[in-house]
Amino acid sequence: MVLQARYADVPIEEKQRLFDEVKADARFESYLYGCYECGICVAACPSARFYDFSPRKIAQAASREDLPMFYEQLNDDIWNCSQCFSCTRCPRGNNPGGLITIMREVSINNGLTSAKTALEGYGRVVYKIMSTGTQVSPDMLQPNAFPDWGPHVQEISDNLALWRRALPPDTMHTTSTAWYVDDRTLTELYLIWHMTGVLDMIKQVDTGLHMILNDVMEELLEEAGFTPE
Amino acid sequence: MPIPLNVLDTRRDSREERGPAVPPTEDVREQVFELEAKGEWLVQRVPDPWIGVTTKYGRIKKIPVAKTWHHKSCGQCGHIPGYSTAIFWLIRKLGLDYNDPKDQTSCTAWNYYASATSNQGAQAAVAMRNFGAAYESGYFPMIHCGTSYGHYKEVREELVHSAQLRDEVRRICDKLGKPFVMPEEIVHYSEWIYAMRDEFAKRRVLDLSSIDVTVHPACHYHKLVVEDAIYDPDVYGGQRTAVVSAVVTALGANVKDYSTWFDCCGFGFRHILVQRDFTRSFATLRKIDVMREEANPDVVLTHDTGCVTTLDQSQFAARAHKPNVGIPVMSEAQFAALAMGAHPYRVCQLHWHSTEYRPLLEKMGIDWRERWREFEDDLERLKKDDKAFLTWEDADA
Ligand code: SF4
Ligand code: SF4
């Protein structure tokens, strides 16, 4: 049996390049100190119970710089992680979940097909958080979005505006954002996305979303007299 | 499987004989102050009065009593609004001063852990913009979401250890006209609830001695920057964080242990939104089922957004093949508020929850039919535009 048969056609230089990007992240050093192969992280890992997935293998591939295995994980494994950080129980002080956060960032930055697939159906959430400053809104509670949550989602969505008015805190009467965020604050958030290159990351994985976000943001930024660098 | 608490007792005894050990991790707060001394940033002090609580390795953490700036949570405000409302209600009940800001953004970490469509610089800038806004208001940040709390503690470590990251974020804060300021402590609301639990107990109006509770400790509360979470040798031998559990005990209800308490809830950040088959399976098979089997609780209490959502909402679909599900889920803030006489709908907003909670209310001695009738009257008045919104005065009428 040949191990790591997948992605044999991808040149090793490409795998090395992506691995080097992961390794260059400032957090990498403090997330990996070698690995005992003890499997404590696997025992604690929720994703390992339901997927063919192992934080031990993530730590192993990264410490051994096993490029074929790393590349496989980058494409086939990292999006299964729950980012719960139960694996920080590692007696070696490793943080396999943290390594995965970095690997995901690299996969987005490089516009990998697997990253695009993983984010299918997720674009509306990115749009919500980046454009409104809150991640989930009451009006996302639609029966077609959460059919498995039962009929009470329909009840919430039918009564949404009224039920939001029945909340004593006056920041929470909103329906399209989780709470009221003022315009000045939104503008500041947009400036952060611009200045830190997050919009460029979005461009790598979803050009349509990038265009819409840019449109929404540029207008408010200009109005407020901010010029993105 | 019974939980070997006797092992924990032995460990505790031997620890007492050995005396206090040197904490295995650095105290990042010392470096936060060193950076202030070097003129790198301002440190916002915890306002007086504060309460000292003990963290994992015996260090003292300051929890502000009042003058708190409420860093709200997307999922709480958006989908479990009784969660945030109950926190504010508890503060108001104690007559304490607080600030519910409109210049706060999400920490954006839910999205970061779900999609990675962000980076270290952006995440740190979002955190420091919020901290700057709190500082300007004169109120001290209190973080409602466990993920925001864990993430901000990671951001704090990253900023402390990287001059380059500090420079990048300082430049952004300058551009926004925000002060570059780090709070002296990063405080989760559940730490405040823990610190104030005796005050709540004094104001308790319901007898909870027959209520059995299982506690789900939130991953991002106790697994990220572990040394900063609250522990108490008297709660589960000091092996499990003391927040929530100690509150349940103080309120006179019973904490019941179960073997999978360390497991996450199954939220998964991206899974809850786009891959919920995993979330549902994990939440029911590894948590709710095990709780039912080993502890048969009346209610599950937790202290984070995703955990309440996941454990509560996942039970509906599982009913098709698992008669064992059906345990109501809420935050310890809602539970404490109910114990102190808060309205289950006006304050705790339980109609936003999925799993049947009415038998629990009955067992707690709450007449939910009458309370729902009152709330329906409120809704009628709102519908007729007699008033624009339900007010705090209405909530306690
Ligand atoms: S962070 Fe990922 S790898 Fe680590 S325990 Fe959680 S699901 Fe497993
Ligand atoms: S717990 Fe740590 S040392 Fe053990 S297998 Fe996992 S990463 Fe390796």
Side-chain angles (χ1 to χ4, degrees):
Chain A
M1 191 179 81
V2 185
L3 282 177
Q4 284 114 37
R6 278 176 289 166
Y7 307 109
D9 53 326
V10 176
I12 196 77
E13 292 76 20
E14 174 64 359
K15 296 172 179 171
Q16 182 77 56
R17 184 184 70 77
L18 291 164
F19 183 77
D20 289 346
E21 272 190 36
V22 169
K23 211 174 162 185
D25 189 286
R27 294 163 288 184
F28 184 87
E29 250 191 3
S30 62
Y31 287 173
L32 186 64
Y33 301 91
C35 170
Y36 300 135
E37 297 243 42
C38 65
I40 286 174
C41 55
V42 184
C45 175
S47 295
R49 280 180 197 278
F50 287 88
Y51 299 112
D52 181 7
F53 172 82
S54 158
R56 177 188 62 80
K57 281 165 73 179
I58 299 280
Q60 278 290 318
S63 10
R64 291 204 310 256
E65 308 208 358
D66 181 334
L67 298 176
M69 187 182 276
F70 160 81
Y71 190 79
E72 267 191 51
Q73 294 171 343
L74 195 65
N75 282 281
D76 302 337
D77 291 347
I78 54 174
W79 297 99
N80 289 332
C81 167
S82 303
Q83 292 283 281
C84 63
F85 301 102
S86 302
C87 48
T88 54
R89 258 200 163 173
C90 168
R92 200 72 207 248
N94 294 338
N95 181 350
L99 292 173
I100 289 168
T101 314
I102 302 173
M103 288 166 78
R104 285 181 173 184
E105 245 182 83
V106 167
S107 100
I108 297 277
N109 273 325
N110 286 276
L112 298 193
T113 310
S114 51
K116 290 179 186 165
T117 311
L119 295 188
E120 265 167 24
Y122 186 83
R124 70 192 174 108
V125 184
V126 177
Y127 175 77
K128 183 65 89 176
I129 185 73
M130 289 187 66
S131 69
T132 72
T134 71
Q135 156 121 11
V136 292
S137 53
D139 63 6
M140 278 181 174
L141 286 171
Q142 299 290 339
N144 58 354
F146 297 95
D148 52 325
W149 283 7
H152 89 119
V153 175
Q154 180 76 56
E155 201 189 352
I156 292 173
S157 114
D158 290 346
N159 292 291
L160 194 69
L162 184 64
W163 282 13
R164 294 299 285 184
R165 284 168 61 204
L167 291 170
D170 65 4
T171 48
M172 281 163 54
H173 300 139
T174 49
T175 54
S176 61
T177 56
W179 64 87
Y180 181 83
V181 181
D182 64 30
D183 272 357
R184 168 83 203 181
T185 301
L186 263 190
T187 311
E188 291 172 357
L189 183 68
Y190 294 172
L191 203 71
I192 291 175
W193 300 140
H194 271 284
M195 288 182 78
T196 53
V198 171
L199 277 169
D200 299 334
M201 293 181 83
I202 303 292
K203 198 175 183 177
Q204 287 298 325
V205 281
D206 194 336
T207 43
L209 177 62
H210 177 257
M211 243 162 55
I212 301 170
L213 280 170
N214 240 337
D215 278 359
V216 176
M217 291 182 188
E218 266 177 358
E219 203 176 308
L220 251 189
L221 283 172
E222 269 169 31
E223 268 171 35
F226 283 127
T227 29
E229 276 165 10
Chain B
M1 187 188 76
I3 295 169
L5 280 172
N6 53 336
V7 176
L8 302 181
D9 288 341
T10 320
R11 273 197 216 158
R12 182 179 54 185
D13 293 346
S14 64
R15 203 164 39 230
E16 270 159 17
E17 276 162 32
R18 278 199 313 270
V22 178
T25 59
E26 62 180 9
D27 189 346
V28 76
R29 297 170 304 179
E30 287 168 8
Q31 285 147 289
V32 166
F33 280 117
E34 280 165 23
L35 285 168
E36 183 190 45
K38 287 185 189 146
E40 288 247 12
W41 56 24
L42 299 165
V43 177
Q44 182 177 13
R45 302 303 196 269
V46 174
D48 279 327
W50 49 265
I51 295 172
V53 297
T54 309
T55 55
K56 185 155 189 159
Y57 302 125
R59 294 187 180 116
I60 299 299
K61 179 169 184 176
K62 297 177 178 177
I63 307 298
V65 170
K67 286 287 274 182
T68 40
W69 189 87
H70 287 260
H71 183 292
K72 295 177 289 299
S73 149
C74 303
Q76 287 172 26
C77 292
H79 295 174
I80 333 163
Y83 197 148
S84 335
T85 308
I87 298 173
F88 291 131
W89 185 87
L90 290 170
I91 296 170
R92 299 175 72 93
K93 202 71 187 164
L94 301 183
L96 302 170
D97 186 17
Y98 72 100
N99 183 337
D100 174 10
K102 293 177 175 167
D103 59 352
Q104 179 224 328
T105 71
S106 161
C107 68
T108 75
W110 180 351
N111 177 58
Y112 183 53
Y113 293 129
S115 75
T117 49
S118 185
N119 55 45
Q120 233 194 333
Q123 293 305 112
V126 166
M128 294 304 270
R129 199 214 63 82
N130 275 326
F131 290 156
Y135 181 77
E136 285 176 326
S137 76
Y139 288 74
F140 193 86
M142 179 177 289
I143 319 286
H144 285 197
C145 179
T147 286
S148 308
Y149 166 86
H151 187 61
Y152 282 172
K153 291 200 296 187
E154 287 204 311
V155 164
R156 173 176 64 180
E157 300 218 326
E158 290 162 17
L159 283 166
V160 160
H161 292 131
S162 167
Q164 202 185 334
L165 185 62
R166 284 198 301 278
D167 286 345
E168 180 187 354
V169 179
R170 193 184 298 107
R171 215 170 37 246
I172 295 170
C173 286
D174 285 350
K175 175 104 179 164
L176 305 181
K178 281 270 175 292
F180 194 54
V181 50
M182 180 59 74
E184 180 183 358
E185 300 276 11
I186 295 186
V187 177
H188 189 234
Y189 89 86
S190 70
E191 300 181 322
W192 178 81
I193 303 243
Y194 169 85
M196 304 300 284
R197 64 195 185 281
D198 294 333
E199 294 301 317
F200 302 147
K202 275 188 228 158
R203 291 163 178 81
R204 179 175 60 79
V205 296
L206 302 177
D207 174 9
L208 304 180
S209 57
S210 66
I211 306 296
D212 291 344
V213 177
T214 45
V215 172
H216 168 68
C219 292
H220 288 188
Y221 175 76
H222 71 118
K223 296 171 185 169
L224 286 171
V225 194
V226 293
E227 64 270 28
D228 192 61
I230 296 175
Y231 284 78
D232 175 342
D234 289 333
V235 176
Y236 202 70
Q239 300 299 299
R240 186 177 66 211
T241 174
V243 298
V244 188
S245 295
V247 178
V248 173
T249 311
L251 290 170
N254 318 303
V255 177
K256 295 282 175 188
D257 290 318
Y258 63 103
S259 54
T260 56
W261 66 268
F262 189 85
D263 269 354
C264 88
C265 63
F267 184 68
F269 297 85
R270 62 184 295 279
H271 298 80
I272 188 79
L273 293 164
V274 291
Q275 219 166 304
R276 270 199 306 286
D277 49 345
F278 164 79
T279 298
R280 284 192 307 272
S281 304
F282 197 86
T284 51
L285 293 170
R286 285 290 293 185
K287 300 296 291 197
I288 299 294
D289 247 23
V290 179
M291 289 177 191
R292 186 61 104 197
E293 185 86 4
E294 297 177 7
N296 197 26
D298 298 298
V299 62
V300 182
L301 296 185
T302 178
H303 56 141
D304 194 9
T305 317
C307 324
V308 174
T309 305
T310 299
L311 295 173
D312 182 24
Q313 308 284 3
S314 298
Q315 296 185 51
F316 174 79
R319 271 171 30 192
H321 55 95
K322 299 191 83 49
N324 226 7
V325 295
I327 315 175
V329 183
M330 64 180 79
S331 68
E332 95 283 40
Q334 287 164 296
F335 187 73
L338 288 173
M340 288 163 62
H343 200 286
Y345 301 109
R346 291 169 175 164
V347 176
C348 295
Q349 300 277 327
L350 291 176
H351 47 294
W352 292 75
H353 293 234
S354 168
T355 310
E356 181 58 84
Y357 54 82
R358 292 172 192 90
L360 167 72
L361 295 187
E362 269 170 30
K363 199 167 174 188
M364 289 172 83
I366 297 169
D367 182 352
W368 59 266
R369 286 181 189 82
E370 181 56 19
R371 298 288 90 79
W372 180 251
R373 200 195 50 70
E374 289 166 356
F375 187 67
E376 282 193 312
D377 287 350
D378 296 338
L379 294 177
E380 275 311 309
R381 281 191 295 151
L382 292 173
K383 248 193 241 168
K384 282 197 226 126
D385 279 328
D386 284 355
K387 60 191 311 163
F389 305 109
L390 200 73
T391 63
W392 285 114
E393 291 68 37
D394 298 328
D396 278 332

